[in-house]
Amino acid sequence: MSPVRVLLADDEHLIRGALAALLALEDDLLVVAEAASGPEALAMARAHRPDVAVLDLQMPGADGVSVATSLRAELPDCRTMIVTSHGRPGHLKRALAAGVRAFAPKTVSAQRLAELIRTVHAGGRYVDPELAADAISAGDSPLTAREAEVLELAGDGAPIAEIAERASLSQGTVRNYLSSAATKLGAENRHTAVRLARERGWV
Amino acid sequence: MSPVRVLLADDEHLIRGALAALLALEDDLLVVAEAASGPEALAMARAHRPDVAVLDLQMPGADGVSVATSLRAELPDCRTMIVTSHGRPGHLKRALAAGVRAFAPKTVSAQRLAELIRTVHAGGRYVDPELAADAISAGDSPLTAREAEVLELAGDGAPIAEIAERASLSQGTVRNYLSSAATKLGAENRHTAVRLARERGWV
DNA sequence: CGGGCCTCCTGACAAATGTCATCTCCGGTC
DNA sequence: GACCGGAGATGACATTTGTCAGGAGGCCCG
């Protein structure tokens, strides 16, 4: 049986190299390409057509989820999985929506990762139980689309006037949205609201 | 010549294991202990007395810098170095103040890391050039001690009243400090001021 | 077709925040 | 002793935000 062709994408050279070395020990896995950024990962995937793409969540250029989205469109036969350092519930949701087959934290062992690659290649799925529990307990976002959008624009502490301009809304509307979002999140002001929404993956 | 005894501390099992495997290939390096958290790293260091401790910056329990501080007190012969994913200028400053001998991002190659371990063991020092440039260009904090303290308390978006209470200051004083801090940082309000100060490592 | 929800808006009001001038007290320094 | 900067405070003021009430239009669903 031919080995599983794997693409590794992670901007941390240290980890990517080490990972490649460890996976090379498994004789049914073959690392055919490595990438250090989102765009590079896409280019490598086009060139080498891997069976499974192992993507880090945070990479320069484009993050793992957007790479997965592009891959799904361009190379439907390529299964994708995300490996990440800090998994927040929102990331998991976005990843699953993008058709990612597995989502695991970097606290897993290399042995386990190799198993996951095989599972994913065989068509299986996997989600880290702890992250899944977090995502479920976080529940669905109570925010409407616009509330979330405005909250996101408020992310870097910009004043209302700037948010209104960037969202092409009136200042009053922005304040109303922020107020209702803060109420829904149980926050005292929009800044803590932003923080809470981020923690729960709602922005 | 006896090999360099190395302690590896990183909460990401994947990376730690992979790293251990790669360093094992170097015949002058010997990984004598691994740890997945700050306290565990300290315990391991006490038990195995490594020559060099390679510490991740972000670990559960205690971060790399505080582990380095404790190690410096308990095992002065043990050299410490920090390896991190996202290096902010402030981290670098804190690390150097804690007596860390080397500070590198995880984007370095394993080969390079092995060299760094040797350098550190030989008494040398190393700082990633890019991080060093950032730290220098960020310059020294223009904030007074109290301004920085108040700014830090403002970090999670708490209202002035709460900051004043936690700092045992009058609300007016808090507002004055926040105002002057924001002016010094060129921010429009305290929230962006907090963000800027964090980016530059001044809090 | 009526009700409910979302999207926008306006206007008004209260509370929080930013800004400024000014004061005292203290420790250092010339 | 005079001067300066920082810590800490007060009071006044303008601006920004948060909150509430309400209105108009649109969409979907029973």
Side-chain angles (χ1 to χ4, degrees):
Chain A
M1 181 177 149
S2 63
V4 181
R5 298 161 51 79
V6 177
L7 163 71
L8 273 187
D10 193 319
D11 63 323
E12 298 173 350
H13 192 292
L14 195 51
I15 288 138
R16 183 159 37 89
L19 221 52
L22 281 196
L23 292 181
L25 299 180
E26 310 284 324
D27 51 3
D28 58 339
L29 302 181
L30 181 63
V31 177
V32 294
E34 296 184 22
S37 74
E40 191 182 345
L42 274 176
M44 285 299 195
R46 286 191 201 102
H48 295 91
R49 314 211 150 240
D51 298 316
V52 177
V54 178
L55 307 171
D56 186 14
L57 199 50
Q58 53 209 16
M59 283 187 293
D63 73 1
V65 176
S66 58
V67 172
T69 307
S70 305
L71 279 182
R72 188 174 176 72
E74 286 191 46
L75 302 172
D77 292 339
C78 175
R79 307 270 162 83
T80 55
M81 54 187 291
I82 298 267
V83 178
T84 180
S85 325
H86 12 262
R88 291 217 307 286
H91 294 150
L92 176 53
K93 279 184 200 169
R94 281 178 55 222
L96 291 181
V100 165
R101 316 284 300 191
F103 196 99
K106 280 185 181 169
T107 48
V108 301
S109 68
Q111 188 60 44
R112 191 88 189 81
L113 182 68
E115 284 172 31
L116 288 184
I117 293 177
R118 291 190 196 99
T119 303
V120 165
H121 180 244
R125 292 173 155 268
Y126 175 82
V127 170
D128 178 69
E130 198 162 339
L131 285 175
D134 284 353
I136 290 167
S137 74
D140 269 346
S141 171
L143 304 174
T144 68
R146 284 292 183 275
E147 282 166 358
E149 184 188 333
V150 171
L151 209 50
E152 199 167 0
L153 287 174
D156 49 356
I160 301 259
E162 189 179 323
I163 301 173
E165 192 183 358
R166 292 213 282 167
S168 301
L169 289 176
S170 110
Q171 299 198 10
T173 306
V174 169
R175 287 196 288 179
N176 285 340
Y177 282 166
L178 288 175
S179 178
S180 75
T183 304
K184 284 177 181 173
L185 297 175
E188 287 177 328
N189 56 46
R190 63 207 164 99
H191 304 285
T192 58
V194 167
R195 192 168 49 80
L196 289 175
R198 284 216 175 116
E199 282 173 7
R200 296 175 199 175
W202 291 339
V203 291
Chain B
M1 181 176 149
S2 63
V4 181
R5 299 161 51 79
V6 176
L7 163 71
L8 274 187
D10 193 318
D11 62 324
E12 298 173 351
H13 193 291
L14 195 51
I15 288 138
R16 184 160 36 89
L19 222 52
L22 280 197
L23 293 182
L25 299 180
E26 311 284 325
D27 52 3
D28 58 338
L29 302 181
L30 181 63
V31 176
V32 295
E34 295 183 22
S37 73
E40 191 181 344
L42 275 176
M44 284 299 194
R46 286 191 200 101
H48 295 91
R49 315 213 149 235
D51 298 315
V52 177
V54 178
L55 306 171
D56 186 14
L57 199 52
Q58 53 209 17
M59 283 187 294
D63 74 1
V65 176
S66 57
V67 171
T69 307
S70 305
L71 279 182
R72 188 175 176 72
E74 285 191 47
L75 303 172
D77 292 339
C78 175
R79 307 270 161 82
T80 55
M81 53 186 292
I82 298 267
V83 178
T84 180
S85 326
H86 16 262
R88 291 218 307 287
H91 293 150
L92 176 53
K93 280 184 200 170
R94 281 178 55 223
L96 291 181
V100 165
R101 316 283 298 193
F103 196 98
K106 280 185 181 168
T107 48
V108 301
S109 70
Q111 189 60 43
R112 191 87 188 81
L113 182 68
E115 284 172 31
L116 289 184
I117 294 177
R118 291 189 197 101
T119 303
V120 165
H121 180 244
R125 291 172 156 267
Y126 175 83
V127 170
D128 177 69
E130 198 162 339
L131 284 175
D134 284 353
I136 291 167
S137 75
D140 270 347
S141 172
L143 305 174
T144 68
R146 284 291 183 275
E147 282 166 357
E149 183 187 334
V150 170
L151 209 51
E152 199 168 1
L153 287 174
D156 49 355
I160 300 258
E162 190 179 323
I163 300 173
E165 193 183 358
R166 292 213 283 167
S168 301
L169 289 176
S170 113
Q171 299 198 11
T173 305
V174 169
R175 287 197 290 179
N176 286 340
Y177 283 167
L178 287 176
S179 178
S180 75
T183 303
K184 284 177 181 175
L185 297 175
E188 287 177 329
N189 56 46
R190 63 208 166 98
H191 304 286
T192 58
V194 167
R195 192 167 49 80
L196 289 174
R198 283 216 175 114
E199 282 172 8
R200 298 176 199 176
W202 291 339
V203 292

